[in-house]
Amino acid sequence: MALQTSFTIYASADELPADWDTLAKANIFLSRAYLGVLQTSAPANMECSFIGLFEGSTLRGIALAQYINISSINTYVENQSGFSLKHYLYKKFSSHVLIIGNNMLTGQNAYVLDADFPETEALKMLLKAQQELKRQYCKRCIYINLLTIKDFNSQELPDFKAAGYNGYFKFCTQPNMIFDIKPKWQDIEGYLPDLNTKYRTQYNRARKKAEGIEKRKLNAEEIEAHAACIQRLYLTVAGNASFNTFHLPEGHFKAFKDALGNDFLFYGYFIDGKLIGFNTLIKNGTDMDTYFLGYDDALQKEKMLYLNMLYDMVAYAIKKQFRHIIFARSAMEIKSSVGARAEEVYGLIKHTNPLINLFMGRLFQYFDPVITWKPRSPFKG
């Protein structure tokens, strides 16, 4: 006789079962350490919940849920003169979002399951858990507008229909940019000969522009000392994004360094002792995930700072023999110019108003920012 399945929702990472990390070893973004620091240093408009999936008393799956209140965020960063209908409608009817997954990352960071635990069964349980969370928020007079689960590539995309996700619309937004590291590369000098002439010239030009910049790995104390400048540089980049659902609080990066230690890397870029940019990386098994960055807008153009950061990430990941760099969404064209490929990612979304949900496919296309870009092919052959 099959054991009874159930789920438990935890409001705090401190409440997670002792064997949580046994499953989370497959993905640092579902580990107790990461979830704990995410909860304590989350954006002001975000709340995290953690879901344990059980068969009998045995933990068979773990998942992350996030509630986001978009009403206080300038979601669409675009040139607006006065009233914006899109902005108004989005906030009026889509402000309260409940996600199974991580809105701060790209990729399948929603859940991890035991190898022999049926995914369809897990998805059924997560659907029930999402509905339970919706009820809990309703008791607090928070009425969820959108239910979603994300991000899956085409190979990972589960059979949501078999799991009972009726009325959900499948969507695909900006792709995840992934850099595949060839085993033959031992350092950046091994990567460069595989570039065609145009992109080797781009590399050399960027490196020339970066002369005078000192790149330095920062520890927790140094991150804290530069906290105000880091926040200003981060907001410069966030302010240029086409679509925002949150802003990181000051102190976010120091908290991550404290919690994740050597798995979280913070690199500062300095001119004459002044911090003019930074980038962050998180080690996740054989993958290196890029996290948030910031820079001085004027110097970024003059020094080709962003492109140099990409080359630095490539150099580090090759040297340390990672298999992939997860460059995530945004700036697809420049990421493809260093060798990243685009991988389509999918999710499901449902509006809790049945009438609005009938038009979800059309509405999603209306609200989803259209980003036009041209893929680059930097490698020979």
Side-chain angles (χ1 to χ4, degrees):
M1 182 177 178
L3 290 173
Q4 185 69 32
T5 58
S6 62
F7 65 85
T8 301
I9 297 171
Y10 304 95
S12 169
D14 294 334
E15 302 171 3
L16 299 179
D19 52 348
W20 183 277
D21 276 351
T22 303
L23 290 174
K25 65 185 179 182
N27 188 339
I28 193 173
F29 298 116
L30 285 165
S31 69
R32 184 192 299 269
Y34 172 84
L35 296 178
V37 69
L38 175 63
Q39 183 179 32
T40 57
S41 63
N45 65 327
M46 178 185 292
E47 292 181 4
C48 298
S49 301
F50 317 110
I51 305 167
L53 308 179
F54 292 87
E55 188 174 33
S57 60
T58 303
L59 184 68
R60 301 298 303 276
I62 57 177
L64 168 65
Q66 292 177 336
Y67 159 69
I68 304 174
N69 180 359
I70 304 175
S71 62
S72 61
I73 299 293
N74 183 19
T75 310
Y76 290 95
V77 181
E78 55 190 16
N79 293 324
Q80 295 179 0
S81 55
F83 178 75
S84 166
L85 179 63
K86 181 187 286 190
H87 193 68
Y88 171 79
L89 291 174
Y90 193 88
K91 291 201 171 186
K92 180 73 173 176
F93 298 106
S94 304
S95 282
H96 302 285
V97 185
L98 185 58
I99 300 170
I100 302 293
N102 194 328
N103 193 52
M104 300 170 71
L105 302 168
T106 304
Q108 206 295 73
N109 300 298
Y111 57 81
V112 169
L113 309 175
D114 256 350
D116 61 346
F117 191 64
E119 188 169 35
T120 300
E121 180 61 32
L123 288 169
K124 289 177 182 177
M125 296 166 71
L126 288 175
L127 183 60
K128 292 177 182 177
Q130 192 176 47
Q131 291 297 325
E132 174 57 28
L133 280 166
K134 177 173 169 283
R135 283 190 288 270
Q136 290 179 14
Y137 279 106
C138 186
K139 289 178 182 178
R140 294 167 52 188
C141 297
I142 297 172
Y143 304 104
I144 300 297
N145 303 122
L146 293 173
L147 300 168
T148 184
I149 180 167
K150 64 178 276 290
D151 288 312
F152 306 87
N153 64 30
S154 56
Q155 289 77 38
E156 298 165 337
L157 195 64
D159 188 351
F160 286 108
K161 187 174 180 181
Y165 284 71
N166 302 316
Y168 281 75
F169 168 72
K170 186 173 82 170
F171 66 88
C172 178
T173 58
Q174 295 177 33
N176 191 3
M177 300 302 293
I178 299 175
F179 184 92
D180 301 312
I181 295 172
K182 296 181 181 180
K184 70 174 183 176
W185 297 338
Q186 297 300 307
D187 52 31
I188 196 70
E189 298 304 321
Y191 156 81
L192 292 175
D194 281 356
L195 298 177
N196 62 42
T197 302
K198 176 181 176 180
Y199 290 97
R200 280 201 309 277
T201 301
Q202 174 182 276
Y203 176 87
N204 291 328
R205 180 168 176 262
R207 290 320 205 189
K208 183 74 174 174
K209 288 276 190 178
E211 289 179 358
I213 295 177
E214 178 197 2
K215 177 192 171 190
R216 195 165 76 236
K217 187 188 295 186
L218 272 58
N219 61 30
E221 291 71 27
E222 291 169 316
I223 295 170
E224 185 173 32
H226 291 283
C229 184
I230 289 168
Q231 188 69 3
R232 177 177 58 80
L233 297 173
Y234 156 71
L235 289 173
T236 296
V237 174
N240 290 331
S242 60
F243 186 79
N244 280 316
T245 55
F246 62 86
H247 288 139
L248 299 178
E250 189 171 319
H252 180 88
F253 300 109
K254 199 266 184 182
F256 265 68
K257 187 62 178 174
D258 284 338
L260 299 184
N262 291 331
D263 286 333
F264 179 82
L265 303 175
F266 187 107
Y267 288 97
Y269 290 73
F270 297 83
I271 293 181
D272 297 330
K274 179 186 177 183
L275 183 68
I276 54 105
F278 72 89
N279 66 57
T280 54
L281 301 166
I282 299 178
K283 301 174 185 177
N284 187 20
T286 60
D287 290 344
M288 174 66 74
D289 279 62
T290 62
Y291 199 49
F292 294 93
L293 56 79
Y295 49 67
D296 181 299
D297 219 7
L299 287 170
Q300 127 68 13
K301 294 171 185 174
E302 177 188 338
K303 296 291 187 178
M304 299 178 72
L305 189 53
Y306 183 65
L307 183 57
N308 275 296
M309 287 181 180
L310 295 180
Y311 285 130
D312 287 341
M313 294 172 190
V314 167
Y316 179 86
I318 292 174
K319 182 180 178 181
K320 298 298 183 180
Q321 291 294 285
F322 285 89
R323 292 180 60 191
H324 309 98
I325 306 170
I326 311 302
F327 276 129
R329 295 186 174 100
S330 79
M332 286 83 72
E333 192 161 327
I334 192 170
K335 289 172 181 174
S336 73
S337 80
V338 304
R341 59 179 171 85
E343 179 182 85
E344 298 293 352
V345 286
Y346 302 87
L348 292 190
I349 193 167
K350 180 179 185 179
H351 203 288
T352 55
N353 181 310
L355 181 59
I356 295 176
N357 196 55
L358 288 174
F359 303 95
M360 196 66 221
R362 267 186 234 172
L363 289 170
F364 189 89
Q365 291 177 355
Y366 173 70
F367 286 110
D368 187 35
V370 177
I371 307 295
T372 57
W373 67 287
K374 183 179 179 181
R376 302 297 178 179
S377 301
F379 295 117
K380 295 175 180 176

